[in-house]
Amino acid sequence: MIRVAIGGPRGKMGQEAVHTVMKNENMELVAVLDHKEIGESLSESPEFPASYDVPVFLDLESLIFTIKPDVFVDLTTPHQVFEHTTMCLQHGVRPVIGTTGFTDEQLQYCTTLAKNKDLGCIIAPNFAIGAVLMMKFASLAAAYFPDVEIIEMHHDQKLDAPSGTAYKTAQMIAEVRPTHKQGHVEEKETLPGARGASYDGIQIHSVRLPGLIAHQQVLFGGDGQLFTLRHDSFNRQSFMSGISFSINQVMDLKELIYGLENIL
């Protein structure tokens, strides 16, 4: 039985993750981490049934020392994720991170820490299997279509832009695509930001609107043709199979894995 703790249980992703772990016969939800005092147990929160008698902590270090979970699933915010990841690794807890916001330097630090601790860690910009396949297919297509732009669309409560999925997609494409600036050599923005953000010459456009969940298009342009890859998550249940998969997989890892495509 895998002892699982979840950070951010009252968020939309967090609620789905709580229900998923509670229903999984191979897992036990042993604690949750919340930023707000909601009572001593999840059962006191109106978002959950009275049968969810799971202790609530406001401090991750206290949770770790009191409960000693095997895995901590972080679904909190980009502002907290680096601190949570390092604290887990330092104290022998395997992090499964579904919150984006790492800098390249922070990612490298966590990679080294996990290796030194001989401990598994998964950082997944996207838990939806379809999104992971989209990223992998994009890296394959980029070898043949070097001119590419990314449009990612999310709900208007998302804190970071571009999304972790778009950023990871651009990284994977950049590994196989010759660096070059796209568009006309004399192109000028009459409104700053009109061409989006640039990663290694790849333009990334972020859309934030109510009603959206998580959507991405990768557009490849060639002579006389357009090749488009697209993935849509219509609800947060689409991420749960990836979370369950990651919790099981991280128990056998002894290093940090960035992106589910590396262990599928």
Side-chain angles (χ1 to χ4, degrees), residues 52-85:
Y52 281 26
D53 189 21
V54 178
V56 178
F57 288 80
L58 298 176
D59 177 71
L60 179 57
E61 190 170 31
S62 176
L63 185 156
I64 290 172
F65 284 118
T66 304
I67 303 297
K68 298 178 175 58
D70 298 315
V71 177
F72 178 72
V73 179
D74 194 310
L75 301 170
T76 57
T77 70
H79 309 304
Q80 302 169 298
V81 64
F82 176 65
E83 179 186 349
H84 288 174
T85 305

Side-chain angles (χ1 to χ4, degrees), residues 13 125-132 134 153-155 165 209 211-217 230-242:
M13 275 282 285
N126 200 310
F127 283 114
I129 302 304
V132 174
M134 174 193 61
M153 301 173 287
H154 283 78
H155 55 89
T165 301
L209 288 171
L212 297 174
I213 299 293
H215 317 264
Q216 180 168 296
Q217 296 181 71
R230 176 169 181 142
H231 178 263
D232 298 278
S233 284
F234 298 112
N235 59 54
R236 289 168 179 84
Q237 189 62 38
S238 64
F239 306 116
M240 293 305 112
S241 59

Side-chain angles (χ1 to χ4, degrees), residues 1-68:
M1 186 74 74
I2 303 172
R3 293 168 53 80
V4 180
I6 293 175
R10 291 181 300 110
K12 292 179 180 178
M13 275 282 285
Q15 289 184 47
E16 288 285 353
V18 165
H19 295 311
T20 297
V21 172
M22 290 292 282
K23 293 174 184 175
N24 195 304
E25 296 180 355
N26 188 43
M27 302 171 191
E28 179 186 4
L29 185 63
V30 293
V32 296
L33 177 72
D34 206 303
H35 72 281
K36 181 180 176 182
E37 179 65 63
I38 61 172
E40 296 183 357
S41 169
L42 266 188
S43 60
E44 298 177 45
S45 175
E47 290 92 347
F48 300 101
S51 59
Y52 281 26
D53 189 21
V54 178
V56 178
F57 288 80
L58 298 176
D59 177 71
L60 179 57
E61 190 170 31
S62 176
L63 185 156
I64 290 172
F65 284 118
T66 304
I67 303 297
K68 298 178 175 58

